[in-house]
Amino acid sequence: MFRRSLSLLFVSACLFLSSLSLLARNQDENLELSQRVTQLVEANDAAGLRALGAEAIPSMTWLYGLSDEPERVRIANLFKEMGIKSEEAEKALMRDVHTENPDLRMAVQYALGRVSDDPEVVDTLLDTLQNDGNPLFRDKAACALAYDQVHLNPAQKVRVYEGLIQALSSPMAQVRAVSIQALSILTGQTKGYHHLLSEERRERSIEMWQRWLEEYRAKL
């Protein structure tokens, strides 16, 4: 019984030491990876970061949180160029989605769709498109919806189409204009809509868009 207890203690001690060794090795590897990511970010090397893949994201989000606004613009652009879906990156970027810094705001709007398929991102961009007080941010939200929602599947795109079709009825001509541009980019169609047509003619086109959306849903 005594010998067996000693044997168990010995095995436990070996396992403990092995765990400490593994922990130290993992810490060294994590530190090395973090340093490598920092170097690549400083060099603005999107290709190098893309080669690291998802492993680069935690260090990038850590750097993003520590950085000033000009540096966050650069990191947001790197997230966009990498195009890797990441909830962690999305959360970091969403903290700046309403910033009044135009460069950072636009970089974040463009990057979000490249890191996420979250409906909240689509809803935020649609709200910006229709309601933001700055026409520049409205325009760039439409661009982000048209070009950057790369992780959405066909069913998830319904949310984008619904919001853009709804925006065709906006009282603001600019909102109507950028919304039909986005729809045209996404679908290759306009349904005869122009933002400066009379309200009656615009409504006829919107009805066509709504029928198109029903048909799109039915095919899913």
Side-chain angles (χ1 to χ4, degrees), residues 36-178:
R36 177 62 177 153
V37 170
T38 300
Q39 291 169 352
L40 291 169
V41 168
E42 289 175 349
N44 215 37
D45 188 347
L49 290 165
R50 195 182 303 114
L52 288 177
E55 290 186 351
I57 300 296
S59 294
M60 289 182 70
T61 56
W62 179 75
L63 288 171
Y64 186 92
L66 291 178
S67 298
D68 58 14
E69 290 187 344
E71 185 66 11
R72 293 209 297 273
V73 171
R74 202 157 62 81
I75 297 173
N77 287 330
L78 287 169
F79 277 132
K80 178 190 173 185
E81 291 183 51
M82 290 171 69
I84 296 174
K85 188 165 71 169
S86 164
E87 184 177 345
E88 190 175 358
E90 177 199 341
K91 287 180 178 178
L93 292 165
M94 283 292 281
R95 288 196 288 270
D96 286 322
V97 77
H98 295 299
T99 178
E100 291 302 316
N101 180 320
D103 293 333
L104 181 56
R105 180 87 167 264
M106 288 185 288
V108 165
Q109 288 184 173
Y110 290 153
L112 275 168
R114 300 276 173 166
V115 303
S116 173
D117 63 355
D118 189 346
E120 183 182 358
V121 169
V122 173
D123 290 345
T124 298
L125 291 171
L126 287 169
D127 181 67
T128 300
L129 163 65
Q130 295 186 67
N131 301 310
D132 197 275
N134 188 324
L136 175 65
F137 295 152
R138 296 197 299 263
D139 177 78
K140 299 312 178 185
C143 290
L145 288 164
Y147 291 111
D148 295 311
Q149 306 310 300
V150 298
H151 297 294
L152 299 185
N153 62 39
Q156 290 171 315
K157 289 179 181 178
V158 169
R159 203 180 198 95
V160 177
Y161 296 141
E162 280 180 333
L164 290 173
I165 292 169
Q166 177 184 341
L168 296 179
S169 299
S170 172
M172 290 186 284
Q174 185 233 9
V175 172
R176 301 196 300 268
V178 296

Side-chain angles (χ1 to χ4, degrees), residues 10 95 167 203:
F10 177 75
R95 288 196 288 270
E203 285 301 319

